[in-house]
Amino acid sequence: MSDVTAATAPATLPPGVRTPRPRELTDALSREILDLKKKLNAVILAHNYQTGDIQDVADYVGDSLGLAQQAAKTPADVIVFCGVHFMAETAKILNPGKIVILPDKDAGCSLEESCPGSKLKALQDTNPNFYTVAYINCSAEVKALSDVICTSGNAVKIVQSVPADRDLLFVPDENLGAWVTEQTGRPMTLWKGNCYVHVEWTHASILRIRQQYPGAPVVAHPECTKAVRMLADEVCSTEKMVAYCKSTAAKEIIIATEAGMLHRLQKECPNKIFIPAPTDSCRCNECRFMKMNTLEKVRDCMADLHPRLELPPSIIERARRPIERMLEVSAR
Ligand code: 13P
Ligand code: SF4
């Protein structure tokens, strides 16, 4: 490990508030990371919710679908996955022979936590005609129990591809599932999980910001509740948000998703003004799991090749097919 260290936040700061790292330290860390990348023949994949400094050193920044597609085709020897645990698991399932490392192995997800494999299996056993569509925000064990995986970017297409005579079981996000049913007209049994960040926006909090910026469209992630989605001009995955914001004539846009998205949007659309939609409480639009990763931890995991993502071969074997099926349907 090198001697470039993080600026530590004083204990008096509220949770989630970080002291900005001096610019020279960020630059030194970024240089170290780029040197390690060359040495390891590594690729750095980062989700749109990562902090700006991590996004800026990544080879690819995108949504869960884009990240899975990149992982499926990378020629690199080492994948540095800057996102949450289930995303790194997906990369490992697609690349069992490669080294997959992640800055913080404890970066989980409330959706993943809501759906243990044993409980899903018990529900599946109640109906042999279930066809299980699992949102990618779930464990490798749940993926191994599923027929096909989807992301918010392709969920509508995936559900439309399921044979009409099958009973659809959608896990683990009830809000995304309800939105997909609205889009496709296909009824589904929904697992009762949610994203603890996206359910923080409320009808009242969106109405208030709309009144403040009457000309600004509202863009919301489908993990938001129906009460929020019904006020949105566009409901889409984080990657589709970039395309929408580039193409709309609006100069000011209200964004209802995790705060990391604003860095990406501002970079892609420098002449537009992005307004983070307020929640009813303070600073609730940061995912504590996504924010466990720091530039220092990215450097350290590359220097140590640790923590490393490992999965039992039997899980890799069973989870791979539903992910490949998703990639096939997505490419059609
Ligand atoms: P996207 O696939 O739209 O990037 O969303 C991932 C996620 O975790 C949303 O909370
Ligand atoms: Fe999971 Fe929500 Fe965090 Fe996305 S934002 S990783 S769905 S807890």
Side-chain angles (χ1 to χ4, degrees):
M1 233 187 281
S2 88
D3 54 3
V4 179
T5 47
T8 42
T12 47
L13 286 174
V17 180
R18 289 171 288 272
T19 43
R21 189 194 301 107
R23 181 80 239 169
E24 323 73 81
L25 272 188
T26 302
D27 290 348
L29 275 166
S30 305
R31 278 196 302 274
E32 262 192 89
I33 289 168
L34 296 179
D35 286 348
L36 283 163
K37 193 171 77 114
K38 231 185 253 166
K39 195 174 118 198
L40 297 170
N41 188 27
V43 65
I44 304 177
L45 305 179
H47 188 265
N48 285 321
Y49 295 164
Q50 292 296 282
T51 51
D53 51 7
I54 295 179
Q55 291 190 29
D56 292 346
V57 291
D59 295 290
Y60 177 85
V61 183
D63 67 357
S64 310
L65 176 60
L67 290 165
Q69 286 166 333
Q70 292 296 317
K73 66 177 188 199
T74 182
D77 296 321
V78 175
I79 300 174
V80 185
F81 209 109
C82 304
V84 290
H85 195 267
F86 74 81
M87 295 177 175
E89 276 185 343
T90 306
K92 182 67 183 177
I93 293 163
L94 289 166
N95 295 281
K98 290 189 181 183
I99 295 174
V100 177
I101 49 177
L102 61 171
D104 193 316
K105 68 172 176 30
D106 295 326
C109 169
S110 66
L111 278 166
E112 178 184 359
E113 278 170 15
S114 77
C115 188
S118 55
K119 286 200 176 152
L120 172 60
K121 180 77 178 66
L123 179 59
Q124 287 173 323
D125 286 346
T126 64
N127 180 355
N129 198 40
F130 267 148
Y131 189 101
T132 306
V133 180
Y135 185 30
I136 200 163
N137 298 39
C138 64
S139 66
E141 193 190 349
V142 165
K143 288 185 177 75
L145 287 167
S146 302
D147 293 293
V148 67
I149 306 305
C150 74
T151 72
S152 58
N154 63 15
V156 168
K157 201 171 181 186
I158 298 290
V159 166
Q160 280 166 338
S161 76
V162 176
D165 60 344
R166 299 296 299 272
D167 298 324
L168 275 155
L169 170 60
F170 190 93
V171 303
D173 187 357
E174 60 178 340
N175 291 306
L176 175 66
W179 177 72
V180 171
T181 288
E182 287 161 24
Q183 305 301 304
T184 61
R186 290 206 59 178
M188 304 196 282
T189 300
L190 302 179
W191 191 267
K192 293 242 155 288
N194 60 49
C195 163
Y196 90 98
V197 181
H198 284 87
V199 297
E200 284 293 334
W201 285 283
T202 64
H203 197 79
S205 74
I206 301 295
L207 274 183
R208 270 201 313 275
I209 195 80
R210 258 201 179 293
Q211 276 160 4
Q212 242 176 296
Y213 298 90
V218 173
V219 179
H221 196 274
E223 289 173 8
C224 292
T225 63
K226 183 169 172 111
V228 166
R229 294 196 310 270
M230 65 195 288
L231 293 175
D233 297 273
E234 180 71 8
V235 177
C236 59
S237 76
T238 57
E239 198 56 34
K240 289 183 183 171
M241 287 182 185
V242 176
Y244 175 86
C245 292
K246 276 183 175 168
S247 66
T248 178
K251 288 278 171 275
E252 295 182 324
I253 306 159
I254 299 166
I255 304 293
T257 197
E258 210 271 354
M261 194 64 219
L262 299 169
H263 179 82
R264 172 87 198 278
L265 287 171
Q266 204 64 75
K267 215 166 161 175
E268 301 266 359
C269 314
N271 298 324
K272 299 204 172 176
I273 296 166
F274 295 101
I275 302 136
T279 59
D280 276 332
S281 31
C282 146
R283 288 193 73 90
C284 292
N285 64 346
E286 281 205 343
C287 171
R288 67 171 181 272
F289 303 112
M290 287 280 182
K291 271 24 187 201
M292 287 169 102
N293 296 335
T294 61
L295 202 59
E296 287 80 0
K297 289 186 195 175
V298 176
R299 184 267 320 270
D300 291 350
C301 80
M302 292 176 78
D304 304 341
L305 282 181
H306 180 84
R308 231 181 251 212
L309 207 300
E310 303 289 359
L311 285 168
S314 62
I315 291 277
I316 292 187
E317 203 184 308
R318 288 189 294 130
R320 194 180 168 101
R321 187 62 201 125
I323 298 173
E324 284 176 344
R325 195 170 283 136
M326 168 187 84
L327 294 173
E328 280 160 26
V329 175
S330 267
R332 279 181 206 158

